[in-house]
Amino acid sequence: MVSTRTSSLEDFRYLIGWIQFVPKWRNKNLSFHRKVGELYIIFVFLSSLAGIGIATQATGGINTAIGFASLGIVWFLAIFLAFTSIKKRNLVMHQKMMIYSYAACFSAVTLRIYLPLQQRIFQDFIIAYRIVVWLCWIPNIIFAYIITKNIKTSTLDVIK
């Protein structure tokens, strides 16, 4: 069974992650933003690959394995594209991909919110888990899409 316990590393990502999206704060602390970003990229790269690897051991069969592996792939691709786009100085793509990455990262939180609710509804952990494996990240990605679809070059700051 895959643990749903939040590690202190995950707690750090959630606490520091949201503030990276505040332009005024980010511009004032650009060096800190870059350092945190470098750490985030490393942690997400490792976490997404680990998530893909352990998906095969997920409770609930092939449905949960595919769900968690898909989440890992989406998370990996988002952080990879965020990294390559910032290296190319493409701020628009970087910001969009970081929003997607954070949405995927936040799936750990939404899983912990939805799972107890689903268990109460279905009175069965396995049924709830098979639903939550998709419900914990697909709506987050949809929400990220809604946020990013209107991001234009003019809304972003220039790299200094």
Side-chain angles (χ1 to χ4, degrees):
M1 180 171 158
V2 174
S3 172
T4 58
R5 165 77 178 98
T6 304
S7 71
S8 58
L9 179 59
E10 286 176 335
D11 294 339
F12 171 75
R13 288 192 311 238
Y14 303 128
L15 291 174
I16 201 69
W18 68 270
I19 201 164
Q20 301 296 324
F21 295 107
V22 179
K24 189 174 183 178
W25 184 92
R26 182 181 59 236
N27 292 341
K28 186 177 178 182
N29 302 284
L30 195 55
S31 176
F32 181 75
H33 173 78
R34 288 177 177 152
K35 295 275 188 239
V36 169
E38 290 168 1
L39 288 173
Y40 181 82
I41 286 170
I42 292 166
F43 292 143
V44 170
F45 177 73
L46 296 172
S47 296
S48 63
L49 291 177
I52 293 166
I54 65 170
T56 60
Q57 303 301 313
T59 300
I62 190 74
N63 177 62
T64 56
I66 292 170
F68 282 131
S70 299
L71 169 58
I73 291 166
V74 166
W75 201 16
F76 178 85
L77 289 175
I79 201 64
F80 177 77
L81 292 172
F83 174 74
T84 57
S85 62
I86 201 61
K87 288 299 181 188
K88 294 176 185 175
R89 299 173 93 62
N90 183 342
L91 292 175
V92 173
M93 180 62 79
H94 173 72
Q95 184 179 28
K96 287 181 177 185
M97 291 300 105
M98 288 306 297
I99 290 169
Y100 280 106
S101 175
Y102 198 66
C105 181
F106 210 74
S107 66
V109 173
T110 53
L111 182 141
R112 288 165 179 83
I113 293 169
Y114 294 147
L115 186 57
L117 299 174
Q118 293 291 319
Q119 278 184 271
R120 286 183 183 242
I121 291 169
F122 294 105
Q123 299 294 311
D124 184 314
F125 174 81
I126 296 298
I127 293 171
Y129 204 60
R130 288 178 178 158
I131 294 168
V132 167
V133 70
W134 298 96
L135 189 60
C136 74
W137 68 274
I138 298 286
N140 295 9
I141 298 299
I142 292 169
F143 188 67
Y145 171 77
I146 292 167
I147 291 171
T148 61
K149 73 177 184 168
N150 294 319
I151 293 177
K152 306 217 183 325
T153 305
S154 62
T155 64
L156 295 175
D157 302 303
V158 180
I159 293 180
K160 296 175 183 175

